[in-house]
Amino acid sequence: MSDHNIPLLAPLAPAPHKMLVRGATIISMDGDVGNVPKGDILIVDGAIAAIGLHLEADGAEVIDGTDMIAIPGMVDTHRHAWEGQLRRINPNAATLEDYCNATHFSFAKYYRPRDIYVGNLLTALGCIDAGITTVVDNSHNSRTGAHSDAAVEALLNTGIRAVHASGPPVSGVWDEAHWPGNLARLQAKYFSDPDSLVTLAMMAQLEPDQWAVARALGIPIVTEFFGGVMATELEGLHQQGLLGSDNIFNHCTCLPDSGWKILREAGVRVNVCPRSDAHYGIENGMYAWQAALHHGIRPGLSVDNETSYSGDMFMEMRVGFYLQRVMAHSQRVHGHHHAPAPTNAFRLLEAATIDGAACAGLDQRIGSLTPGKQADLVLIRTGDLNIYPVNNAIGTVVHAAERSNIDTVIIGGRVRKRAGVVLGVDQATLRAAIDESCAHLFNAAGYQPDLFAESFAPIHHA
């Protein structure tokens, strides 16, 4: 066992051969399947075999979906999972520099492989707990090969579906010889099985020489893209044929129409960040969802990080809903004749599920409750006091549900949360590992914790 791979979780149980979710309200996110007021979902060998009424399956494990809403597992298309133990350390951050001061320029430099493992493990478990069954892990603190191994093994051990995008650190000393060459080693060691829940990607900026390494391996390329300052580079990249559907761009704030046209023509995948862009004042602070839609691109939603706020997709949907409406209302009030129509709850749920799956490159496998796709789904209790009565199922999910209402989470036909509890977690052991990691990072960085601090004090080292 690697030093970082401490036994914090029970080994994953195999998925049952057959599972039947009976009597749930089904929001399929598939136009052909539709929505079912009270129906069944048959799962066979990890995939959805049938959706209908009164399905029979001899020998199947039965999950009672009565008084529950079934939705596809949500997809977080951009999360820096390694920062898990830094949750809410900087709640009032107002700039991107504030964020970097509390991550890259301080604690990141002192992460051991075991700290990467703990951070990724905590983030992935938090995702599962919140009904996020797939996460694109933007791992921009891959200091050594051992750090990368730790990140991947944490994802594998939790049973989450993930795209691990390995990337170089922003600051501090690191083994520059191992990256991006280390990607080939990672691919050979962990990603030879095409059916693995975890797949590989590269995280890199607008650097075609590095992109060539990823393309030789056939893996996607994830880029932190801020349109206001980086748009001028798109035309040259596009003319050289260096942009394609294997590119995933985060943020895409303040991108002019010419830039959006290039992304659409090249097939670049996009995700947007309702809370992150506003919280850190990234460019104009407005997430780019409406701009992307206007140019024929359907982006996924992303949490980005948990260093300032929560890690759930319910909040991204709600903030996204209201930001779009504020923008649209404001444009109409100020006489804009082409102001967009107010969005609706279903569109935000699409962004959190099927559009997110497309951004991750996994829409043929997940993102909707469709026979033939992998069985990634979430059951939400409807009898809870904050939800009952359910007068509109989609409105309830988008505008009222929260992590505490999630009863069951299934990933690839394997139950990972049951009766409101994530399975296989020894809470005491996990907390001890998190506490040890925090103590190491805080001590190494010279940080004095303050439970009531209004701001994060930058840490300066010679």
Side-chain angles (χ1 to χ4, degrees):
M1 180 180 295
S2 303
D3 173 66
H4 57 261
N5 198 353
I6 45 185
L8 304 180
L9 303 178
L12 293 171
H17 172 51
K18 288 184 182 179
M19 182 183 296
L20 183 65
V21 177
R22 188 180 293 285
T25 296
I26 301 170
I27 303 174
S28 74
M29 309 308 294
D30 182 314
D32 294 329
V33 174
N35 300 321
V36 184
K38 189 173 184 178
D40 304 337
I41 304 170
L42 177 62
I43 300 168
V44 178
D45 294 330
I48 298 172
I51 295 176
L53 305 178
H54 311 300
L55 299 180
E56 296 297 332
D58 293 340
E61 176 183 330
V62 177
I63 295 178
D64 186 3
T66 305
D67 298 324
M68 295 192 196
I69 297 172
I71 65 170
M74 291 178 280
V75 181
D76 182 352
T77 51
H78 159 212
R79 180 84 70 97
H80 303 294
W82 63 270
E83 300 169 357
Q85 59 271 74
L86 303 179
R87 286 172 168 174
R88 271 74 66 190
I89 200 165
N90 198 11
N92 297 313
T95 66
L96 196 56
E97 183 181 11
D98 289 343
Y99 160 76
C100 290
N101 282 335
T103 53
H104 298 298
F105 302 150
S106 53
F107 306 113
K109 296 182 288 185
Y110 304 104
Y111 265 68
R112 306 160 297 180
R114 69 184 292 122
D115 301 309
I116 291 284
Y117 183 83
V118 167
N120 265 39
L121 195 78
L122 182 56
T123 296
L125 292 173
C127 285
I128 294 169
D129 192 36
I132 296 169
T133 56
T134 298
V135 62
V136 181
D137 171 26
N138 286 218
S139 191
H140 55 1
N141 198 21
S142 299
R143 296 188 171 271
T144 68
H147 285 75
S148 294
D149 288 355
V152 173
E153 289 174 15
L155 298 172
L156 290 168
N157 290 348
T158 63
I160 197 168
R161 193 179 301 276
V163 179
H164 173 70
S166 174
V170 172
S171 69
V173 177
W174 61 288
D175 179 10
E176 297 185 34
H178 97 283
W179 194 93
N182 183 54
L183 289 168
R185 182 190 66 82
L186 285 176
Q187 188 177 61
K189 183 173 182 178
Y190 295 107
F191 301 105
S192 59
D193 181 1
D195 295 323
S196 174
L197 289 176
V198 184
T199 56
L200 184 63
M202 167 189 278
M203 187 175 183
Q205 289 308 103
L206 302 181
E207 300 161 304
D209 289 346
Q210 293 183 357
W211 292 6
V213 174
R215 285 172 169 155
L217 296 173
I219 61 176
I221 304 153
V222 178
T223 298
E224 299 278 30
F225 185 78
F226 307 117
V229 297
M230 299 168 70
T232 56
E233 300 184 55
L234 290 181
E235 182 64 33
L237 292 169
H238 189 40
Q239 288 181 352
Q240 297 174 68
L242 293 173
L243 294 174
S245 59
D246 57 354
N247 288 107
I248 303 172
F249 280 11
N250 305 335
H251 296 285
C252 295
T253 46
C254 287
L255 186 62
D257 289 347
S258 59
W260 283 113
K261 181 180 178 181
I262 289 172
L263 297 192
R264 185 183 68 247
E265 289 179 354
V268 172
R269 295 178 253 159
V270 169
N271 70 78
V272 295
C273 316
R275 285 187 289 174
S276 173
D277 292 341
H279 199 111
Y280 302 115
I282 295 176
E283 301 199 299
N284 69 352
M286 175 57 73
Y287 82 128
W289 188 59
Q290 188 63 57
L293 294 179
H294 178 71
H295 290 89
I297 296 173
R298 295 172 64 97
L301 297 180
S302 66
V303 171
D304 192 354
N305 70 86
E306 294 183 72
T307 63
S308 295
Y309 45 77
S310 68
D312 65 286
M313 194 55 63
F314 295 115
M315 282 300 297
E316 295 302 337
M317 288 191 287
R318 287 166 201 165
V319 171
F321 180 96
Y322 290 113
L323 284 177
Q324 191 276 348
R325 289 205 164 196
V326 166
M327 181 192 68
H329 290 323
S330 177
Q331 289 183 0
R332 280 190 293 276
V333 166
H334 289 91
H336 291 256
H337 298 297
H338 300 291
T343 192
N344 61 65
F346 183 74
R347 277 299 296 117
L348 270 300
L349 189 55
E350 284 185 312
T353 54
I354 189 64
D355 292 349
C359 179
L362 297 171
D363 50 315
Q364 296 303 307
R365 305 194 73 193
I366 61 165
S368 64
L369 301 180
T370 302
K373 285 192 175 183
Q374 289 289 290
D376 290 12
L377 61 99
V378 174
L379 296 178
I380 300 170
R381 289 188 301 272
T382 61
D384 291 355
L385 287 174
N386 66 310
I387 284 183
Y388 190 84
V390 174
N391 295 308
N392 183 292
I394 295 168
T396 294
V397 172
V398 175
H399 288 308
E402 58 189 44
R403 178 211 61 78
S404 64
N405 303 125
I406 295 175
D407 182 88
T408 302
V409 174
I410 299 170
I411 303 175
R414 179 191 285 120
V415 176
R416 292 300 297 122
K417 182 176 182 179
R418 189 192 298 272
V421 178
V422 177
L423 303 182
V425 181
D426 183 322
Q427 292 283 350
T429 304
L430 177 62
R431 288 176 182 173
I434 296 166
D435 291 345
E436 188 278 334
S437 179
C438 287
H440 159 73
L441 294 172
F442 293 173
N443 181 67
Y447 173 70
Q448 296 297 319
D450 182 348
L451 290 176
F452 306 105
E454 292 186 7
S455 62
F456 180 86
I459 301 169
H460 300 289
H461 290 278

